C-alpha cells in the first residue's frame, strides 16, 4: 500500500496543495485530476521519490520512502512527460537495455502489444513522437513493478494506442498491481478513483 500523509507542496512561493492525504491499495487505479498548474506532476514526482514535499511524507508498505528507497524503486515504474528512452538505440535495443532479464521473445511480444510491429529495429530517433511514446510504454508489458506512476501516458497516442494502454493498465490492476496517473483524456472506466487537486490558494 502507498500512503500519502499530509503532503504540502510549494512552487515559486505558491502553495499547490496542502495537507493532502490518501492511500492507494493493491488492485486500484487512481487518476490525479485538476486544472493546469494545480500540481498534478509535482504530486506524482513526490510520490515517485523524485521531489520532496515541503511537509508530509510518503509511506510504502508501512515505511517512509527514506527508509525503504531501494525496495520502493524496485517496486516502482515511473514514466514522466519525456519518454526516457535512448534515441540512438532501436525499439528492441531499448527494451533489452531496460529489461535485459526478459527473454528476447518477451521483448518482441511487448513491442507488438504496444503497436510497434514492423518498427522494432528502427532507431528511435527515426520514429514519430507517438511511436517513441509507445517504445517507452512497451516497458509496461514487461515490468514486474507493483506500482506504476504514469504522467500523461496517453500523450501522442492514437485511439488504438490509448485502447491498448488502457487494457494493459486494467490487466495490471486485476493482477493486484497499482496505477497512479494523470491524463487529459477522459477515462470512461468505473474502476478508476479520482483525486482532484483544488487550488490551495483559493
Amino acid at each position: 500500500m502507498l500512503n500519502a500523509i499530509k503532503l504540502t507542496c510549494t512552487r515559486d512561493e505558491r502553495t499547490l496543495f496542502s495537507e493532502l492525504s490518501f492511500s492507494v491499495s493493491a488492485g486500484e487505479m487512481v487518476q490525479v485530476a485538476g486544472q493546469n498548474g494545480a500540481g498534478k506532476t509535482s504530486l506524482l514526482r513526490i510520490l515517485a521519490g523524485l521531489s520532496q514535499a515541503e511537509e508530509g511524507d510518503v509511506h510504502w508498505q508501512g515505511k517512509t520512502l527514506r527508509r525503504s528507497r531501494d525496495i520502493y524503486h524496485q517496486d516502482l515504474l515511473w514514466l514522466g512527460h519525456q519518454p526516457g528512452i535512448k534515441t540512438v538505440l532501436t525499439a528492441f535495443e531499448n527494451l533489452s537495455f531496460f529489461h535485459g532479464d526478459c527473454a528476447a521473445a518477451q521483448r518482441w511480444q511487448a513491442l507488438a502489444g504496444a503497436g510497434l510491429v514492423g518498427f522494432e529495429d528502427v532507431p528511435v530517433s527515426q520514429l514519430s513522437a507517438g511511436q517513441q511514446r509507445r517504445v517507452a510504454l512497451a516497458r509496461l508489458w514487461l515490468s514486474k513493478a507493483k506500482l506504476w506512476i504514469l504522467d500523461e501516458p496517453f500523450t501522442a497516442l492514437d485511439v488504438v494506442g490509448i485502447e491498448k494502454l488502457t487494457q494493459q493498465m486494467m490487466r495490471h490492476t486485476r493482477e493486484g498491481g497499482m496505477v497512479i496517473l494523470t491524463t487529459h483524456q477522459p477515462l470512461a472506466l468505473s474502476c478508476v478513483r479520482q483525486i482532484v487537486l483544488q487550488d490551495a490558494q483559493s
Side-chain angles (χ1 to χ4, degrees), residues 156-175:
L157 295 184
D158 58 16
V159 173
V160 173
I162 291 172
E163 177 63 22
K164 285 179 177 288
L165 177 55
T166 301
Q167 292 176 358
Q168 190 65 5
M169 292 190 299
M170 292 178 64
R171 180 198 63 78
H172 184 59
T173 55
R174 284 197 302 267
E175 294 177 355

Side-chain angles (χ1 to χ4, degrees), residues 79 82-85 95 131-140:
L79 289 178
Q82 300 300 320
I85 52 179
L95 289 195
Q131 290 167 333
Q132 290 187 19
R133 193 69 175 167
R134 287 174 187 244
V135 174
L137 293 169
R139 296 187 60 196
L140 301 181

